[in-house]
Coordinates of all heavy atoms in Angstrom, one line a residue:
D1 N -15.1 10.6 5.2 CA -15.2 9.7 6.3 C -15.3 8.2 5.8 O -15.3 7.3 6.6 CB -16.3 10.1 7.2 CG -17.7 9.9 6.6 OD1 -17.8 9.9 5.3 OD2 -18.6 9.9 7.3
T2 N -15.5 8.0 4.5 CA -15.6 6.7 4.0 C -14.6 6.4 2.9 O -14.4 7.2 2.0 CB -17.0 6.5 3.4 OG1 -18.0 6.7 4.4 CG2 -17.2 5.1 2.9
L3 N -13.9 5.3 2.9 CA -13.0 4.9 1.9 C -13.5 3.7 1.2 O -13.9 2.7 1.9 CB -11.6 4.6 2.5 CG -10.9 5.7 3.3 CD1 -9.7 5.2 4.0 CD2 -10.6 6.8 2.3
I4 N -13.5 3.7 -0.1 CA -13.9 2.6 -0.9 C -12.7 1.9 -1.5 O -11.9 2.5 -2.1 CB -14.8 3.0 -2.1 CG1 -16.0 3.9 -1.6 CG2 -15.3 1.8 -2.9 CD1 -16.9 3.1 -0.7
Y5 N -12.6 0.6 -1.3 CA -11.4 -0.2 -1.7 C -11.8 -1.1 -2.8 O -12.8 -1.8 -2.8 CB -10.8 -1.0 -0.6 CG -10.1 -0.1 0.5 CD1 -10.8 0.4 1.5 CD2 -8.8 0.1 0.4 CE1 -10.2 1.2 2.5 CE2 -8.1 0.8 1.4 CZ -8.8 1.4 2.4 OH -8.2 2.2 3.3
V6 N -10.9 -1.1 -3.8 CA -10.9 -2.1 -4.9 C -9.5 -2.4 -5.3 O -8.6 -1.7 -4.9 CB -11.6 -1.5 -6.2 CG1 -13.1 -1.1 -5.9 CG2 -10.9 -0.3 -6.7
G7 N -9.3 -3.5 -6.0 CA -8.0 -3.8 -6.5 C -7.5 -5.2 -6.1 O -8.2 -6.0 -5.6
F8 N -6.2 -5.4 -6.5 CA -5.6 -6.8 -6.4 C -5.0 -6.9 -5.0 O -4.7 -5.9 -4.3 CB -4.6 -6.9 -7.4 CG -3.9 -8.3 -7.4 CD1 -4.6 -9.4 -7.6 CD2 -2.6 -8.4 -7.2 CE1 -4.1 -10.7 -7.6 CE2 -1.9 -9.6 -7.2 CZ -2.7 -10.8 -7.4
C9 N -4.8 -8.1 -4.6 CA -4.1 -8.5 -3.3 C -5.0 -8.2 -2.1 O -4.6 -7.6 -1.2 CB -2.8 -7.9 -3.2 SG -1.6 -8.5 -4.4
T10 N -6.2 -8.6 -2.2 CA -7.2 -8.4 -1.0 C -6.5 -8.8 0.3 O -6.6 -8.1 1.3 CB -8.4 -9.3 -1.2 OG1 -8.9 -9.1 -2.6 CG2 -9.5 -8.8 -0.3
N11 N -5.9 -10.0 0.3 CA -5.3 -10.6 1.5 C -4.0 -10.0 1.8 O -3.4 -10.4 2.9 CB -5.3 -12.1 1.4 CG -4.7 -12.6 0.1 OD1 -4.6 -11.9 -0.9 ND2 -4.4 -13.9 0.0
L12 N -3.5 -9.1 1.1 CA -2.2 -8.4 1.4 C -2.3 -6.9 1.3 O -2.5 -6.3 2.3 CB -1.1 -8.9 0.4 CG -0.8 -10.4 0.5 CD1 0.2 -10.8 -0.6 CD2 -0.2 -10.8 1.8
C13 N -2.2 -6.4 0.1 CA -2.2 -4.9 0.0 C -3.4 -4.2 0.5 O -3.3 -3.2 1.1 CB -2.0 -4.6 -1.5 SG -0.4 -5.2 -2.2
I14 N -4.6 -4.7 0.1 CA -5.8 -4.0 0.5 C -5.9 -3.9 2.1 O -6.4 -2.9 2.6 CB -7.1 -4.8 0.0 CG1 -7.1 -4.8 -1.5 CG2 -8.4 -4.2 0.6 CD1 -7.4 -3.5 -2.2
L15 N -5.4 -5.0 2.7 CA -5.5 -5.0 4.2 C -4.3 -4.2 4.8 O -4.5 -3.5 5.7 CB -5.5 -6.4 4.7 CG -6.8 -7.2 4.6 CD1 -6.6 -8.6 4.9 CD2 -7.9 -6.5 5.4
D16 N -3.1 -4.4 4.3 CA -1.9 -4.0 5.0 C -1.1 -2.9 4.4 O -0.1 -2.4 5.0 CB -1.0 -5.2 5.2 CG -1.6 -6.2 6.2 OD1 -2.2 -5.8 7.1 OD2 -1.5 -7.4 5.9
A17 N -1.4 -2.4 3.2 CA -0.6 -1.3 2.7 C -0.7 0.0 3.6 O -1.6 0.0 4.4 CB -1.1 -0.9 1.3
P18 N 0.1 1.0 3.4 CA 0.0 2.1 4.3 C -1.3 2.8 4.3 O -1.8 3.3 5.3 CB 1.1 3.1 3.7 CG 2.1 2.2 3.1 CD 1.3 1.0 2.6
G19 N -2.1 2.7 3.2 CA -3.4 3.3 3.1 C -4.5 2.2 3.2 O -5.6 2.4 2.9
G20 N -4.0 1.0 3.6 CA -4.9 -0.2 3.7 C -5.9 -0.1 4.8 O -5.9 0.7 5.7
M21 N -6.8 -1.0 4.7 CA -8.0 -1.0 5.6 C -7.6 -1.2 7.1 O -8.2 -0.5 7.9 CB -9.0 -2.2 5.2 CG -9.6 -2.0 3.9 SD -10.7 -3.3 3.4 CE -12.2 -2.6 4.1
R22 N -6.6 -2.0 7.4 CA -6.3 -2.2 8.8 C -5.6 -0.9 9.4 O -5.7 -0.7 10.6 CB -5.3 -3.4 9.0 CG -6.1 -4.7 9.0 CD -5.3 -5.7 9.6 NE -4.5 -6.5 8.7 CZ -4.3 -7.7 8.7 NH1 -4.8 -8.5 9.6 NH2 -3.5 -8.3 7.8
R23 N -5.0 -0.1 8.6 CA -4.4 1.1 9.1 C -5.4 2.3 9.1 O -5.3 3.2 10.0 CB -3.2 1.5 8.3 CG -2.1 0.5 8.5 CD -0.8 1.0 7.9 NE 0.2 -0.1 8.0 CZ 1.4 0.0 7.5 NH1 1.7 1.1 6.9 NH2 2.2 -0.9 7.6
M24 N -6.4 2.3 8.3 CA -7.3 3.4 8.2 C -8.5 3.2 9.1 O -9.0 4.3 9.6 CB -7.8 3.6 6.7 CG -6.6 3.8 5.8 SD -5.4 5.1 6.3 CE -6.4 6.6 5.9
A25 N -9.0 2.0 9.3 CA -10.2 1.9 10.2 C -9.9 2.4 11.6 O -10.8 3.1 12.1 CB -10.6 0.4 10.2
P26 N -8.8 2.2 12.2 CA -8.6 2.7 13.6 C -8.5 4.3 13.6 O -8.6 4.9 14.6 CB -7.3 2.1 14.0 CG -7.0 0.9 13.2 CD -7.7 1.2 11.9
R27 N -8.3 4.8 12.4 CA -8.3 6.3 12.3 C -9.7 6.9 12.2 O -9.8 8.1 11.9 CB -7.4 6.7 11.2 CG -5.9 6.4 11.5 CD -5.0 6.9 10.4 NE -3.6 6.6 10.8 CZ -2.6 6.4 10.0 NH1 -2.8 6.4 8.7 NH2 -1.4 6.2 10.5
G28 N -10.7 6.1 12.2 CA -12.0 6.6 12.1 C -12.7 6.5 10.8 O -13.8 7.0 10.6
Y29 N -12.0 6.0 9.8 CA -12.6 5.9 8.5 C -13.5 4.6 8.4 O -13.2 3.6 9.0 CB -11.5 5.8 7.4 CG -10.8 7.0 7.2 CD1 -9.6 7.2 7.8 CD2 -11.3 8.0 6.4 CE1 -8.8 8.4 7.6 CE2 -10.6 9.2 6.2 CZ -9.4 9.4 6.8 OH -8.7 10.6 6.6
R30 N -14.6 4.8 7.7 CA -15.5 3.7 7.4 C -14.9 3.1 6.1 O -14.9 3.7 5.1 CB -16.9 4.1 7.2 CG -17.8 3.0 6.8 CD -19.3 3.4 6.6 NE -19.3 4.9 6.4 CZ -20.4 5.6 6.5 NH1 -21.6 5.0 6.7 NH2 -20.4 6.9 6.3
C31 N -14.4 1.8 6.2 CA -13.7 1.2 5.1 C -14.7 0.2 4.5 O -15.2 -0.7 5.1 CB -12.5 0.5 5.6 SG -11.2 1.6 6.3
V32 N -14.8 0.3 3.2 CA -15.8 -0.6 2.4 C -15.0 -1.2 1.2 O -14.4 -0.4 0.4 CB -17.0 0.2 1.9 CG1 -17.9 -0.7 1.2 CG2 -17.7 0.9 3.0
L33 N -15.0 -2.5 1.1 CA -14.4 -3.2 0.1 C -15.5 -3.7 -0.9 O -16.4 -4.4 -0.5 CB -13.6 -4.4 0.6 CG -12.9 -5.3 -0.3 CD1 -11.9 -4.6 -1.2 CD2 -12.2 -6.4 0.4
L34 N -15.3 -3.4 -2.2 CA -16.3 -3.9 -3.2 C -15.9 -5.4 -3.5 O -14.8 -5.6 -4.1 CB -16.3 -3.0 -4.4 CG -16.7 -1.6 -4.1 CD1 -16.9 -0.8 -5.5 CD2 -18.0 -1.5 -3.3
R35 N -16.8 -6.3 -3.2 CA -16.5 -7.7 -3.4 C -16.1 -8.1 -4.8 O -15.2 -9.0 -5.0 CB -17.8 -8.5 -2.9 CG -18.0 -8.4 -1.4 CD -19.1 -9.4 -1.0 NE -20.4 -9.0 -1.4 CZ -21.2 -8.2 -0.8 NH1 -20.9 -7.7 0.4 NH2 -22.4 -7.9 -1.3
E36 N -16.8 -7.6 -5.8 CA -16.5 -8.1 -7.2 C -15.3 -7.3 -7.8 O -14.9 -7.7 -8.9 CB -17.7 -7.8 -8.1 CG -19.0 -8.6 -7.7 CD -19.9 -7.7 -6.8 OE1 -19.4 -6.7 -6.3 OE2 -21.0 -8.2 -6.6
A37 N -14.8 -6.4 -7.1 CA -13.8 -5.5 -7.6 C -12.4 -5.8 -6.9 O -11.6 -4.9 -6.9 CB -14.1 -4.0 -7.5
T38 N -12.3 -6.9 -6.4 CA -11.0 -7.3 -5.7 C -10.7 -8.7 -5.9 O -11.6 -9.5 -6.2 CB -11.1 -7.0 -4.2 OG1 -9.8 -7.1 -3.6 CG2 -12.0 -7.9 -3.5
F39 N -9.4 -9.1 -5.8 CA -9.0 -10.5 -5.9 C -7.8 -10.7 -5.1 O -6.8 -9.9 -5.1 CB -8.7 -10.7 -7.4 CG -8.7 -12.2 -7.8 CD1 -9.9 -12.8 -8.1 CD2 -7.6 -12.9 -7.8 CE1 -10.0 -14.1 -8.4 CE2 -7.6 -14.3 -8.1 CZ -8.8 -14.9 -8.5
G40 N -7.7 -11.7 -4.4 CA -6.6 -12.0 -3.5 C -5.5 -12.8 -4.2 O -5.7 -13.2 -5.3
V41 N -4.4 -12.9 -3.5 CA -3.3 -13.8 -4.0 C -3.8 -15.2 -3.9 O -4.0 -15.6 -2.7 CB -2.0 -13.5 -3.3 CG1 -0.9 -14.4 -3.7 CG2 -1.6 -12.0 -3.5
E42 N -3.9 -15.9 -5.0 CA -4.3 -17.3 -4.9 C -3.2 -18.2 -5.4 O -2.2 -17.8 -5.9 CB -5.5 -17.5 -5.8 CG -6.8 -16.7 -5.5 CD -7.5 -17.2 -4.2 OE1 -7.2 -18.3 -3.7 OE2 -8.4 -16.4 -3.7
F43 N -3.4 -19.5 -5.2 CA -2.5 -20.5 -5.6 C -3.2 -21.4 -6.7 O -4.4 -21.3 -6.7 CB -2.0 -21.3 -4.5 CG -1.2 -20.5 -3.5 CD1 -1.8 -19.9 -2.4 CD2 0.2 -20.4 -3.7 CE1 -1.1 -19.1 -1.5 CE2 0.9 -19.6 -2.8 CZ 0.3 -19.0 -1.7
P44 N -2.5 -22.2 -7.4 CA -3.2 -23.0 -8.4 C -4.3 -23.8 -7.9 O -5.4 -24.0 -8.5 CB -2.0 -23.9 -9.0 CG -0.8 -23.1 -8.8 CD -1.0 -22.4 -7.5
D45 N -4.2 -24.4 -6.7 CA -5.2 -25.2 -6.1 C -6.3 -24.4 -5.4 O -7.3 -25.0 -5.0 CB -4.6 -26.2 -5.1 CG -3.9 -25.6 -4.0 OD1 -3.3 -24.5 -4.1 OD2 -4.0 -26.1 -2.8
T46 N -6.2 -23.1 -5.3 CA -7.2 -22.3 -4.6 C -7.9 -21.3 -5.6 O -8.9 -20.7 -5.3 CB -6.7 -21.4 -3.5 OG1 -5.7 -20.5 -4.0 CG2 -6.0 -22.3 -2.5
L47 N -7.4 -21.2 -6.8 CA -7.8 -20.2 -7.8 C -9.3 -20.4 -8.2 O -10.0 -19.4 -8.2 CB -6.9 -20.3 -9.0 CG -7.2 -19.2 -10.1 CD1 -7.1 -17.8 -9.5 CD2 -6.2 -19.4 -11.3
A48 N -9.7 -21.6 -8.5 CA -11.1 -21.8 -9.0 C -12.1 -21.4 -8.0 O -13.1 -20.8 -8.4 CB -11.2 -23.3 -9.4
D49 N -11.9 -21.7 -6.8 CA -12.8 -21.3 -5.7 C -12.6 -20.0 -5.1 O -13.3 -19.5 -4.2 CB -12.8 -22.4 -4.6 CG -13.3 -23.7 -5.1 OD1 -14.2 -23.7 -6.0 OD2 -12.9 -24.8 -4.6
R50 N -11.5 -19.3 -5.5 CA -11.1 -18.0 -4.9 C -11.0 -18.1 -3.4 O -11.5 -17.2 -2.7 CB -12.1 -16.9 -5.3 CG -12.1 -16.6 -6.8 CD -13.2 -15.6 -7.2 NE -13.4 -14.6 -6.2 CZ -13.5 -13.3 -6.5 NH1 -13.4 -12.9 -7.7 NH2 -13.6 -12.4 -5.6
T51 N -10.4 -19.1 -2.9 CA -10.4 -19.4 -1.5 C -9.8 -18.3 -0.7 O -10.4 -17.8 0.3 CB -9.6 -20.7 -1.2 OG1 -10.2 -21.8 -2.0 CG2 -9.6 -21.1 0.3
H52 N -8.6 -17.8 -1.0 CA -8.0 -16.8 -0.2 C -8.7 -15.4 -0.4 O -8.8 -14.7 0.6 CB -6.5 -16.6 -0.6 CG -5.7 -17.8 -0.3 ND1 -5.3 -18.1 1.0 CD2 -5.3 -18.9 -1.0 CE1 -4.7 -19.2 1.1 NE2 -4.6 -19.7 -0.2
T53 N -9.3 -15.2 -1.5 CA -10.1 -14.0 -1.7 C -11.3 -14.0 -0.7 O -11.6 -13.0 0.0 CB -10.6 -13.8 -3.1 OG1 -9.4 -13.8 -4.0 CG2 -11.4 -12.6 -3.4
N54 N -12.0 -15.1 -0.7 CA -13.2 -15.2 0.1 C -12.9 -15.2 1.6 O -13.6 -14.6 2.4 CB -14.0 -16.5 -0.2 CG -14.6 -16.4 -1.6 OD1 -15.1 -15.3 -2.0 ND2 -14.6 -17.5 -2.3
V55 N -11.8 -15.8 2.0 CA -11.3 -15.7 3.4 C -11.0 -14.2 3.8 O -11.4 -13.7 4.8 CB -10.1 -16.6 3.7 CG1 -9.5 -16.3 5.0 CG2 -10.6 -18.1 3.6
A56 N -10.3 -13.5 2.9 CA -10.0 -12.1 3.1 C -11.3 -11.3 3.2 O -11.4 -10.4 4.1 CB -9.1 -11.6 2.0
L57 N -12.3 -11.5 2.4 CA -13.6 -10.8 2.5 C -14.2 -11.1 3.8 O -14.7 -10.1 4.5 CB -14.5 -11.2 1.3 CG -14.1 -10.8 -0.1 CD1 -14.9 -11.4 -1.1 CD2 -14.2 -9.2 -0.2
R58 N -14.2 -12.3 4.3 CA -14.8 -12.6 5.6 C -14.1 -12.0 6.7 O -14.6 -11.5 7.7 CB -14.9 -14.1 5.8 CG -15.7 -14.9 4.9 CD -17.2 -14.5 5.1 NE -18.1 -15.2 4.2 CZ -19.0 -16.0 4.5 NH1 -19.3 -16.3 5.7 NH2 -19.7 -16.5 3.5
Y59 N -12.7 -11.9 6.6 CA -11.9 -11.2 7.6 C -12.3 -9.8 7.7 O -12.5 -9.2 8.8 CB -10.4 -11.4 7.3 CG -9.6 -10.7 8.3 CD1 -9.2 -11.4 9.4 CD2 -9.1 -9.4 8.1 CE1 -8.4 -10.7 10.4 CE2 -8.3 -8.8 9.0 CZ -8.0 -9.4 10.1 OH -7.2 -8.8 11.1
V60 N -12.4 -9.1 6.5 CA -12.8 -7.7 6.5 C -14.1 -7.5 7.2 O -14.3 -6.7 8.1 CB -12.9 -7.2 5.1 CG1 -13.6 -5.9 5.0 CG2 -11.5 -7.1 4.5
E61 N -15.1 -8.4 6.8 CA -16.5 -8.2 7.4 C -16.5 -8.5 8.9 O -17.2 -7.8 9.7 CB -17.4 -9.2 6.7 CG -17.7 -8.9 5.3 CD -18.3 -10.0 4.5 OE1 -18.4 -11.1 5.0 OE2 -18.8 -9.7 3.4
A62 N -15.6 -9.4 9.4 CA -15.6 -9.7 10.8 C -14.8 -8.7 11.7 O -15.2 -8.4 12.8 CB -15.1 -11.1 11.0
W63 N -13.7 -8.2 11.1 CA -12.8 -7.5 12.0 C -12.4 -6.1 11.6 O -11.9 -5.3 12.4 CB -11.5 -8.3 12.1 CG -11.7 -9.6 12.6 CD1 -11.6 -10.8 11.9 CD2 -12.0 -10.0 14.0 NE1 -11.9 -11.9 12.8 CE2 -12.1 -11.4 14.0 CE3 -12.2 -9.3 15.1 CZ2 -12.5 -12.1 15.2 CZ3 -12.5 -9.9 16.3 CH2 -12.6 -11.3 16.3
V64 N -12.6 -5.7 10.3 CA -12.0 -4.5 9.8 C -13.0 -3.4 9.4 O -12.9 -2.3 9.7 CB -11.0 -4.7 8.7 CG1 -10.3 -3.5 8.2 CG2 -10.0 -5.8 9.1
G65 N -14.0 -3.8 8.6 CA -14.9 -2.9 8.0 C -16.1 -3.6 7.4 O -16.7 -4.4 8.0
Y66 N -16.4 -3.2 6.1 CA -17.6 -3.6 5.5 C -17.2 -4.1 4.1 O -16.2 -3.7 3.5 CB -18.6 -2.5 5.4 CG -18.9 -1.9 6.7 CD1 -18.2 -0.8 7.2 CD2 -19.9 -2.5 7.5 CE1 -18.5 -0.2 8.4 CE2 -20.2 -1.9 8.7 CZ -19.5 -0.8 9.2 OH -19.8 -0.3 10.4
T67 N -18.1 -4.9 3.5 CA -18.0 -5.2 2.1 C -19.4 -4.8 1.5 O -20.4 -4.8 2.2 CB -17.7 -6.7 1.8 OG1 -18.8 -7.5 2.2 CG2 -16.4 -7.1 2.4
A68 N -19.3 -4.6 0.2 CA -20.6 -4.3 -0.5 C -20.4 -4.8 -1.9 O -19.3 -5.0 -2.5 CB -20.8 -2.8 -0.5
S69 N -21.6 -5.0 -2.6 CA -21.5 -5.4 -4.0 C -21.3 -4.2 -4.8 O -21.6 -3.0 -4.4 CB -22.8 -6.1 -4.4 OG -23.9 -5.2 -4.4
A70 N -20.8 -4.3 -6.0 CA -20.6 -3.2 -6.9 C -22.0 -2.6 -7.3 O -22.1 -1.4 -7.4 CB -19.9 -3.7 -8.2
A71 N -23.0 -3.4 -7.4 CA -24.3 -2.9 -7.7 C -24.8 -2.0 -6.6 O -25.4 -1.0 -6.9 CB -25.3 -4.1 -8.0
D72 N -24.6 -2.4 -5.4 CA -25.1 -1.6 -4.3 C -24.3 -0.2 -4.3 O -24.9 0.8 -4.0 CB -24.9 -2.3 -2.9 CG -25.9 -3.4 -2.7 OD1 -27.0 -3.4 -3.3 OD2 -25.6 -4.2 -1.8
F73 N -23.0 -0.3 -4.6 CA -22.2 0.9 -4.6 C -22.7 1.9 -5.7 O -22.9 3.1 -5.5 CB -20.8 0.6 -4.9 CG -19.9 1.8 -5.0 CD1 -19.6 2.6 -3.9 CD2 -19.3 2.1 -6.2 CE1 -18.8 3.7 -4.0 CE2 -18.5 3.2 -6.4 CZ -18.2 4.0 -5.3
R74 N -23.0 1.3 -6.9 CA -23.5 2.1 -8.0 C -24.9 2.7 -7.7 O -25.2 3.9 -7.9 CB -23.6 1.3 -9.3 CG -22.3 1.0 -10.0 CD -22.5 0.4 -11.3 NE -23.2 -0.8 -11.3 CZ -22.7 -2.0 -11.2 NH1 -21.4 -2.1 -11.0 NH2 -23.4 -3.1 -11.2
A75 N -25.7 1.9 -7.0 CA -27.1 2.4 -6.6 C -26.9 3.6 -5.6 O -27.6 4.6 -5.7 CB -27.9 1.3 -6.0
G76 N -26.0 3.4 -4.6 CA -25.7 4.5 -3.7 C -25.2 5.7 -4.3 O -25.7 6.8 -3.9
C77 N -24.4 5.6 -5.3 CA -23.9 6.8 -6.0 C -25.0 7.5 -6.8 O -25.1 8.7 -6.8 CB -22.7 6.4 -6.9 SG -21.2 5.9 -6.1
A78 N -25.9 6.7 -7.4 CA -27.0 7.2 -8.1 C -27.9 8.0 -7.2 O -28.5 9.0 -7.5 CB -27.8 6.1 -8.9
D79 N -28.2 7.4 -6.0 CA -29.0 8.1 -5.0 C -28.4 9.5 -4.6 O -29.1 10.4 -4.4 CB -29.2 7.2 -3.7 CG -30.1 6.0 -4.0 OD1 -30.8 6.0 -5.0 OD2 -30.1 5.1 -3.1
L80 N -27.1 9.5 -4.4 CA -26.4 10.8 -4.1 C -26.6 11.8 -5.2 O -26.6 13.0 -4.9 CB -25.0 10.5 -3.8 CG -24.6 9.8 -2.5 CD1 -23.1 9.5 -2.4 CD2 -25.1 10.6 -1.3
A81 N -26.6 11.3 -6.4 CA -26.6 12.3 -7.6 C -28.0 12.9 -7.7 O -28.2 13.9 -8.4 CB -26.3 11.5 -8.8
R82 N -29.0 12.3 -7.1 CA -30.4 12.8 -7.2 C -30.6 14.0 -6.3 O -30.3 14.3 -5.4 CB -31.4 11.7 -6.9 CG -31.5 10.7 -8.0 CD -32.5 9.7 -7.7 NE -32.1 8.5 -8.5 CZ -32.3 7.3 -8.0 NH1 -32.9 7.0 -6.9 NH2 -31.9 6.3 -8.7

């Protein structure tokens, strides 16, 4: 019931691929994107600040699903293992 997303193209593939967050959330999946494990398509003038990546993260949080830190994800996995 939960999908964990990581990878490149936060603002394109992560959101819009056939298994992307925008297609899976309406099907009842809880979609979670790990903030440190993704990177959006940036331009030379946006790269240093990760502008497009940060906008995509905010979009996910506001409209699509959730974001979490990698540390929180690891801690959650450790809790499940106990």
Side-chain angles (χ1 to χ4, degrees):
D1 66 341
T2 301
L3 298 173
I4 306 297
Y5 288 86
V6 300
F8 183 62
C9 293
T10 314
N11 46 348
L12 299 172
C13 299
I14 297 287
L15 286 170
D16 294 320
M21 295 180 87
R22 280 200 268 220
R23 293 192 185 177
M24 301 311 285
R27 294 185 171 149
Y29 290 96
R30 178 180 18 193
C31 298
V32 181
L33 176 60
L34 299 186
R35 291 186 292 269
E36 300 91 348
T38 191
F39 201 83
V41 175
E42 299 287 350
F43 295 92
D45 61 324
T46 66
L47 185 58
D49 292 329
R50 295 176 37 134
T51 303
H52 293 283
T53 302
N54 289 323
V55 168
L57 289 169
R58 295 293 176 120
Y59 179 86
V60 166
E61 294 168 348
W63 301 107
V64 182
Y66 305 92
T67 68
S69 70
D72 287 341
F73 177 71
R74 286 190 302 271
C77 290
D79 288 346
L80 288 174
R82 288 184 205 143

